[in-house]
């Protein structure tokens, strides 16, 4: 989808939020935080300044699994 559109889907990360089943724990830049899957939104690719890194394969798998559960119900 991202190859064909000028927008991408993004999920914000935070270090100051409460845990929930739909929020994925992540460690990035030496800090512990959460990926907020309840706040997924579309953003224009031109607004993305630079790539800050990637998540581990385990975090990616947990994120995709949780998104499947959220959209299946």
């Amino acid at each position: 989808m991202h190859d064909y559109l000028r927008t991408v889907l993004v999920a914000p990360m935070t270090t100051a939020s409460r845990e929930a089943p739909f929020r994925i724990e992540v460690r990035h830049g030496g800090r512990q935080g959460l990926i907020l899957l309840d706040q997924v939104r579309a953003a224009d690719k031109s607004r993305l300044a630079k790539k800050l890194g990637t998540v581990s394969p385990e975090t990616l798998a947990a994120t995709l699994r949780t998104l499947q559960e959220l959209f299946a119900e």
Side-chain angles (χ1 to χ4, degrees):
M1 179 170 69
H2 293 151
D3 292 338
Y4 297 96
L5 301 174
R6 291 181 19 201
T7 57
V8 293
L9 296 178
V10 296
M13 293 171 47
T14 184
T15 57
S17 189
R18 295 191 315 223
E19 291 183 21
F22 44 83
R23 292 181 172 180
I24 307 300
E25 289 187 22
V26 65
R27 185 157 188 83
H28 179 70
R31 299 180 76 182
Q32 191 67 29
L34 297 168
I35 300 171
L36 306 178
L37 296 180
D38 55 313
Q39 295 185 27
V40 172
R41 66 195 89 191
D44 193 286
K45 289 179 184 176
S46 67
R47 298 195 62 180
L48 304 177
K50 63 180 177 178
K51 184 176 181 176
L52 298 178
T54 59
V55 297
S56 70
E58 295 81 15
T59 301
L60 178 58
T63 301
L64 294 174
R65 195 170 40 252
T66 303
L67 285 170
Q68 284 180 319
E69 291 172 12
L70 286 172
F71 285 105
E73 294 182 12

